[in-house]
Amino acid sequence: MPDMNPEVERLGASQYILVTTYKKDGTAVPTPVWVSTSGGKLFVLTDAGAGKIKRIRNRAHVVVAPCDSRGGSQGASVDAAARIIDEPSELARIDELHKAKYGLQYRAMGLFTKLFRRGTGNVGIELTIV
């Protein structure tokens, strides 16, 4: 396992991180998300139809920072490269990482999204600090 980057440790210790993606015209779009870590990388799960996924497909460069649930900054931001993950075994691994970190809160949110989701499913985002 690679040595843990201090930035990954700092961001992974946060309850939420702010992932800022960019529209084609360069407009920044910040979104607070839950995050887990493994192997020196940060991982996020999100709806496959989320706007941030489309923006990452167009531009993999993102900026991440610790934040509160409403996106209020709680520390310095860093650049990262985002990779979309849709492989079921990798998604299951990220799901387990999130379950371990967030426990009952994560499970309850999962049940809520299953009941009210439009059916697009989840994808993961792997974030590598650059």
Side-chain angles (χ1 to χ4, degrees), residues 3-28:
D3 291 325
M4 185 67 92
N5 178 321
E7 290 296 333
V8 172
E9 284 186 44
R10 178 179 69 91
L11 292 162
S14 182
Q15 185 78 2
Y16 296 90
I17 62 169
L18 194 65
V19 176
T20 302
T21 55
Y22 297 89
K23 294 180 180 182
K24 287 183 181 180
D25 69 3
T27 303

Short mmCIF file of all heavy atoms in Angstrom, two decimals, residues 3-28:
data_model
loop_
_atom_site.label_atom_id
_atom_site.label_comp_id
_atom_site.label_asym_id
_atom_site.label_seq_id
_atom_site.Cartn_x
_atom_site.Cartn_y
_atom_site.Cartn_z
N ASP A 3 2.38 4.98 0.64
CA ASP A 3 2.33 5.87 1.80
C ASP A 3 1.16 6.83 1.65
O ASP A 3 0.87 7.30 0.56
CB ASP A 3 3.63 6.67 1.92
CG ASP A 3 4.81 5.79 2.30
OD1 ASP A 3 4.63 4.84 3.07
OD2 ASP A 3 5.90 6.07 1.80
N MET A 4 0.51 7.11 2.76
CA MET A 4 -0.64 8.01 2.74
C MET A 4 -0.17 9.45 2.59
O MET A 4 0.65 9.92 3.36
CB MET A 4 -1.46 7.84 4.02
CG MET A 4 -2.73 8.65 4.03
SD MET A 4 -3.96 8.13 2.84
CE MET A 4 -4.89 7.00 3.83
N ASN A 5 -0.68 10.12 1.60
CA ASN A 5 -0.41 11.53 1.37
C ASN A 5 -1.04 12.31 2.53
O ASN A 5 -2.19 12.07 2.87
CB ASN A 5 -1.03 11.91 0.02
CG ASN A 5 -0.88 13.35 -0.35
OD1 ASN A 5 -0.98 14.25 0.48
ND2 ASN A 5 -0.65 13.58 -1.62
N PRO A 6 -0.32 13.25 3.13
CA PRO A 6 -0.90 14.02 4.24
C PRO A 6 -2.19 14.74 3.84
O PRO A 6 -3.10 14.92 4.66
CB PRO A 6 0.18 15.02 4.63
CG PRO A 6 1.43 14.57 3.97
CD PRO A 6 1.07 13.64 2.87
N GLU A 7 -2.30 15.17 2.59
CA GLU A 7 -3.52 15.82 2.13
C GLU A 7 -4.68 14.85 2.07
O GLU A 7 -5.81 15.19 2.39
CB GLU A 7 -3.32 16.48 0.75
CG GLU A 7 -2.42 17.69 0.78
CD GLU A 7 -2.98 18.84 1.61
OE1 GLU A 7 -4.21 18.97 1.76
OE2 GLU A 7 -2.17 19.63 2.11
N VAL A 8 -4.41 13.61 1.67
CA VAL A 8 -5.46 12.58 1.64
C VAL A 8 -5.92 12.30 3.07
O VAL A 8 -7.12 12.18 3.33
CB VAL A 8 -4.96 11.30 0.94
CG1 VAL A 8 -5.98 10.17 1.08
CG2 VAL A 8 -4.67 11.57 -0.54
N GLU A 9 -4.97 12.22 4.00
CA GLU A 9 -5.33 12.00 5.40
C GLU A 9 -6.21 13.14 5.92
O GLU A 9 -7.22 12.91 6.57
CB GLU A 9 -4.08 11.89 6.27
CG GLU A 9 -3.37 10.58 6.15
CD GLU A 9 -2.23 10.46 7.15
OE1 GLU A 9 -2.42 10.83 8.32
OE2 GLU A 9 -1.16 9.99 6.74
N ARG A 10 -5.80 14.37 5.63
CA ARG A 10 -6.54 15.55 6.10
C ARG A 10 -7.95 15.58 5.51
O ARG A 10 -8.93 15.75 6.23
CB ARG A 10 -5.78 16.82 5.69
CG ARG A 10 -6.46 18.12 6.07
CD ARG A 10 -5.62 19.33 5.66
NE ARG A 10 -5.54 19.50 4.23
CZ ARG A 10 -6.39 20.26 3.52
NH1 ARG A 10 -7.35 20.92 4.12
NH2 ARG A 10 -6.25 20.38 2.22
N LEU A 11 -8.06 15.37 4.22
CA LEU A 11 -9.37 15.41 3.57
C LEU A 11 -10.22 14.21 3.96
O LEU A 11 -11.42 14.32 4.18
CB LEU A 11 -9.19 15.47 2.05
CG LEU A 11 -8.59 16.78 1.54
CD1 LEU A 11 -8.04 16.60 0.13
CD2 LEU A 11 -9.60 17.90 1.60
N GLY A 12 -9.60 13.04 4.07
CA GLY A 12 -10.33 11.83 4.44
C GLY A 12 -10.85 11.86 5.86
O GLY A 12 -11.82 11.19 6.18
N ALA A 13 -10.22 12.65 6.72
CA ALA A 13 -10.68 12.76 8.11
C ALA A 13 -11.91 13.65 8.22
O ALA A 13 -12.63 13.61 9.22
CB ALA A 13 -9.55 13.32 8.98
N SER A 14 -12.18 14.43 7.20
CA SER A 14 -13.33 15.33 7.20
C SER A 14 -14.62 14.54 6.98
O SER A 14 -14.64 13.53 6.27
CB SER A 14 -13.17 16.36 6.08
OG SER A 14 -14.23 17.27 6.08
N GLN A 15 -15.70 14.99 7.58
CA GLN A 15 -17.01 14.37 7.37
C GLN A 15 -17.46 14.55 5.92
O GLN A 15 -18.04 13.66 5.32
CB GLN A 15 -18.04 14.98 8.33
CG GLN A 15 -19.40 14.35 8.29
CD GLN A 15 -19.47 13.03 9.06
OE1 GLN A 15 -18.52 12.58 9.67
NE2 GLN A 15 -20.61 12.40 9.00
N TYR A 16 -17.20 15.73 5.37
CA TYR A 16 -17.56 16.07 3.99
C TYR A 16 -16.37 16.72 3.31
O TYR A 16 -15.54 17.35 3.97
CB TYR A 16 -18.71 17.09 3.95
CG TYR A 16 -20.00 16.62 4.52
CD1 TYR A 16 -20.28 16.80 5.87
CD2 TYR A 16 -20.95 15.99 3.73
CE1 TYR A 16 -21.47 16.37 6.42
CE2 TYR A 16 -22.15 15.56 4.26
CZ TYR A 16 -22.41 15.75 5.61
OH TYR A 16 -23.59 15.32 6.15
N ILE A 17 -16.31 16.58 1.98
CA ILE A 17 -15.39 17.39 1.20
C ILE A 17 -16.19 18.11 0.13
O ILE A 17 -17.24 17.64 -0.31
CB ILE A 17 -14.24 16.58 0.56
CG1 ILE A 17 -14.76 15.54 -0.43
CG2 ILE A 17 -13.34 15.99 1.63
CD1 ILE A 17 -13.67 14.90 -1.28
N LEU A 18 -15.66 19.25 -0.26
CA LEU A 18 -16.26 20.02 -1.33
C LEU A 18 -15.50 19.66 -2.61
O LEU A 18 -14.29 19.87 -2.70
CB LEU A 18 -16.12 21.51 -1.04
CG LEU A 18 -16.96 22.46 -1.87
CD1 LEU A 18 -18.44 22.23 -1.59
CD2 LEU A 18 -16.58 23.89 -1.57
N VAL A 19 -16.21 19.06 -3.56
CA VAL A 19 -15.62 18.73 -4.85
C VAL A 19 -16.08 19.80 -5.83
O VAL A 19 -17.28 19.94 -6.08
CB VAL A 19 -16.04 17.33 -5.34
CG1 VAL A 19 -15.49 17.05 -6.72
CG2 VAL A 19 -15.57 16.26 -4.36
N THR A 20 -15.14 20.55 -6.35
CA THR A 20 -15.46 21.59 -7.32
C THR A 20 -15.12 21.09 -8.71
O THR A 20 -13.96 20.79 -9.00
CB THR A 20 -14.70 22.89 -7.01
OG1 THR A 20 -15.04 23.31 -5.67
CG2 THR A 20 -15.07 23.99 -7.98
N THR A 21 -16.17 20.97 -9.54
CA THR A 21 -16.01 20.58 -10.94
C THR A 21 -16.24 21.83 -11.78
O THR A 21 -16.66 22.87 -11.28
CB THR A 21 -17.02 19.48 -11.30
OG1 THR A 21 -18.34 19.94 -10.99
CG2 THR A 21 -16.75 18.19 -10.53
N TYR A 22 -15.99 21.70 -13.08
CA TYR A 22 -16.04 22.87 -13.95
C TYR A 22 -16.89 22.62 -15.19
O TYR A 22 -16.73 21.59 -15.85
CB TYR A 22 -14.63 23.30 -14.36
CG TYR A 22 -13.82 23.70 -13.17
CD1 TYR A 22 -13.08 22.76 -12.45
CD2 TYR A 22 -13.84 25.01 -12.72
CE1 TYR A 22 -12.36 23.13 -11.32
CE2 TYR A 22 -13.12 25.38 -11.59
CZ TYR A 22 -12.39 24.44 -10.90
OH TYR A 22 -11.69 24.80 -9.78
N LYS A 23 -17.76 23.58 -15.49
CA LYS A 23 -18.54 23.54 -16.73
C LYS A 23 -17.62 23.81 -17.91
O LYS A 23 -16.49 24.29 -17.73
CB LYS A 23 -19.65 24.59 -16.70
CG LYS A 23 -20.70 24.35 -15.64
CD LYS A 23 -21.76 25.44 -15.70
CE LYS A 23 -22.84 25.23 -14.66
NZ LYS A 23 -23.88 26.28 -14.75
N LYS A 24 -18.11 23.55 -19.11
CA LYS A 24 -17.31 23.79 -20.31
C LYS A 24 -16.86 25.24 -20.42
O LYS A 24 -15.78 25.53 -20.93
CB LYS A 24 -18.09 23.40 -21.57
CG LYS A 24 -18.20 21.90 -21.75
CD LYS A 24 -18.92 21.56 -23.04
CE LYS A 24 -19.05 20.06 -23.19
NZ LYS A 24 -19.72 19.69 -24.43
N ASP A 25 -17.68 26.18 -19.92
CA ASP A 25 -17.31 27.60 -19.99
C ASP A 25 -16.37 28.03 -18.86
O ASP A 25 -16.02 29.20 -18.74
CB ASP A 25 -18.55 28.49 -20.03
CG ASP A 25 -19.33 28.51 -18.71
OD1 ASP A 25 -18.90 27.87 -17.71
OD2 ASP A 25 -20.39 29.17 -18.67
N GLY A 26 -15.97 27.08 -18.01
CA GLY A 26 -15.04 27.36 -16.92
C GLY A 26 -15.69 27.70 -15.59
O GLY A 26 -15.00 27.87 -14.59
N THR A 27 -17.02 27.79 -15.55
CA THR A 27 -17.73 28.10 -14.31
C THR A 27 -17.53 26.98 -13.30
O THR A 27 -17.75 25.80 -13.61
CB THR A 27 -19.23 28.27 -14.59
OG1 THR A 27 -19.42 29.30 -15.56
CG2 THR A 27 -19.98 28.63 -13.31
N ALA A 28 -17.11 27.33 -12.10
CA ALA A 28 -16.90 26.36 -11.02
C ALA A 28 -18.24 25.96 -10.40
O ALA A 28 -19.10 26.81 -10.18
CB ALA A 28 -15.99 26.95 -9.96
#
